[in-house]
Amino acid sequence: MKYSNLKRIIPLTLLASAATFMVAAAAPVTDLNSSSTSSGTASSSSIERLERLINSRNQIQLQLQQQLDGLSEELSEMRGMVERNSYELDQMLDRQRQLYIEIDTLRTAKPAVTVTTPTDPSDKSTGAYATDTNENQAYQNAVDLILKEKDYEGAAKAFKDFIAGYPDSVYASNAHYWLGQLYFSQKNDIEAAKSFAKVVSYSDSNKRADALLKLGDLAQRNSNTAAAKKYYQKVVTEYSESTSAQTARKQLKNL
């Protein structure tokens, strides 16, 4: 009985020992593989995350650089616009001062309607007056629209009507000049040039030097440097001692 039981117990013990050995031996292999896989996955994930961060940073830096380049370009354009506007404002103020000077000159030397006629009616120099009272009054009315009423649009129409009604008037060159001044102030450069060119055609006009100067200003305003130089030099050559010549010399230095 005891021997029989011993024979059954020994195989069972051996079997149990073998099973325990197999389980114990297999466990470390399983844990090692699992740890190695987890470590490899974590390492790969960290590298990918780092690469994404680097790529993201590079992309942000590129975008910031592009924005800075764009802002720099816009700033340069704005600086150029400010400088150009400042130059144009200075030119406009200078032209306005010249206009006021011309108006003051005309105010002090304007013709009176009641003045007696000159001995030579054909004389078109300063101090000549028309024999026609209506002609004198029409011119005086146009001048008053500038000096008294400050109605520049009305003055432009009045001077055009005067020129149409009295094309051979002793005031014709002055009328063309003031019409040109009004167009010039309105930046109607084409009509201004026509009016000033008409003044230049009067070789004995006391406004001829000023008209040549204005033609130079018009050319300069329209970026025609060669034409501007030509007109300014003509003023200097033909009217060297005049105030217009002094202004022309300054303009020539700035070209």
Side-chain angles (χ1 to χ4, degrees), residues 142-247:
V143 170
D144 286 344
L145 286 172
I146 296 177
L147 300 179
K148 296 180 180 180
E149 304 298 331
K150 311 299 182 184
D151 181 5
Y152 302 126
E153 291 186 4
K157 182 179 184 305
F159 279 120
K160 285 192 290 185
D161 290 344
F162 177 83
I163 292 169
Y166 304 96
D168 298 323
S169 171
V170 293
Y171 310 127
S173 66
N174 276 15
H176 281 294
Y177 179 81
W178 285 111
L179 189 57
Q181 282 280 59
L182 292 167
Y183 285 136
F184 187 91
S185 297
Q186 297 168 358
K187 291 191 175 182
N188 187 346
D189 291 353
I190 294 177
E191 293 301 322
K194 290 179 181 178
S195 295
F196 290 133
K198 190 67 177 177
V199 177
V200 173
S201 69
Y202 292 88
S203 59
D204 56 352
S205 171
N206 65 316
K207 305 304 295 181
R208 188 171 182 273
D210 294 328
L212 286 168
L213 184 66
K214 292 298 181 183
L215 286 171
D217 291 342
L218 283 170
Q220 185 177 4
R221 187 158 78 181
N222 288 276
S223 302
N224 191 342
T225 304
K229 286 182 178 180
K230 182 187 74 173
Y231 287 119
Y232 292 147
Q233 190 58 53
K234 195 173 183 66
V235 175
V236 172
T237 301
E238 297 184 13
Y239 304 92
S240 59
E241 302 301 322
S242 67
T243 302
S244 297
Q246 294 177 10
T247 303

Side-chain angles (χ1 to χ4, degrees), residues 34-250:
S34 176
S35 175
S36 176
T37 302
S38 299
S39 176
T41 302
S43 177
S44 176
S45 177
S46 296
I47 292 173
E48 291 177 356
R49 185 164 58 253
L50 181 59
E51 289 178 345
R52 286 197 298 270
L53 287 173
I54 293 174
N55 290 336
S56 178
R57 185 196 65 181
N58 291 339
Q59 185 66 26
I60 291 173
Q61 288 180 339
L62 179 60
Q63 291 176 353
L64 288 175
Q65 186 61 48
Q66 290 175 342
Q67 291 177 359
L68 287 174
D69 291 342
L71 289 173
S72 178
E73 185 176 349
E74 290 179 4
L75 182 61
S76 297
E77 292 178 356
M78 291 178 65
R79 185 181 294 110
M81 290 175 61
V82 169
E83 292 176 353
R84 184 168 59 254
N85 289 339
S86 178
Y87 173 77
E88 291 179 354
L89 179 60
D90 289 341
Q91 290 292 99
M92 182 182 71
L93 291 175
D94 184 60
R95 290 193 297 270
Q96 195 67 32
R97 283 193 294 270
Q98 291 181 19
L99 178 59
Y100 287 148
I101 291 172
E102 295 290 351
I103 289 175
D104 288 338
T105 301
L106 183 60
R107 183 188 290 115
T108 58
K110 61 183 179 181
V113 175
T114 57
V115 174
T116 57
T117 58
T119 55
D120 182 3
S122 65
D123 181 15
K124 294 181 175 58
S125 61
T126 302
Y129 304 103
T131 58
D132 186 343
T133 301
N134 292 332
E135 180 180 341
N136 282 313
Q137 189 63 57
Y139 182 76
Q140 185 67 58
N141 290 341
V143 170
D144 286 344
L145 286 172
I146 296 177
L147 300 179
K148 296 180 180 180
E149 304 298 331
K150 311 299 182 184
D151 181 5
Y152 302 126
E153 291 186 4
K157 182 179 184 305
F159 279 120
K160 285 192 290 185
D161 290 344
F162 177 83
I163 292 169
Y166 304 96
D168 298 323
S169 171
V170 293
Y171 310 127
S173 66
N174 276 15
H176 281 294
Y177 179 81
W178 285 111
L179 189 57
Q181 282 280 59
L182 292 167
Y183 285 136
F184 187 91
S185 297
Q186 297 168 358
K187 291 191 175 182
N188 187 346
D189 291 353
I190 294 177
E191 293 301 322
K194 290 179 181 178
S195 295
F196 290 133
K198 190 67 177 177
V199 177
V200 173
S201 69
Y202 292 88
S203 59
D204 56 352
S205 171
N206 65 316
K207 305 304 295 181
R208 188 171 182 273
D210 294 328
L212 286 168
L213 184 66
K214 292 298 181 183
L215 286 171
D217 291 342
L218 283 170
Q220 185 177 4
R221 187 158 78 181
N222 288 276
S223 302
N224 191 342
T225 304
K229 286 182 178 180
K230 182 187 74 173
Y231 287 119
Y232 292 147
Q233 190 58 53
K234 195 173 183 66
V235 175
V236 172
T237 301
E238 297 184 13
Y239 304 92
S240 59
E241 302 301 322
S242 67
T243 302
S244 297
Q246 294 177 10
T247 303
R249 290 188 186 96
K250 292 179 182 178

Side-chain angles (χ1 to χ4, degrees), residues 21-37:
F21 176 77
M22 291 177 64
V23 171
V29 175
T30 302
D31 292 341
L32 181 61
N33 290 338
S34 176
S35 175
S36 176
T37 302

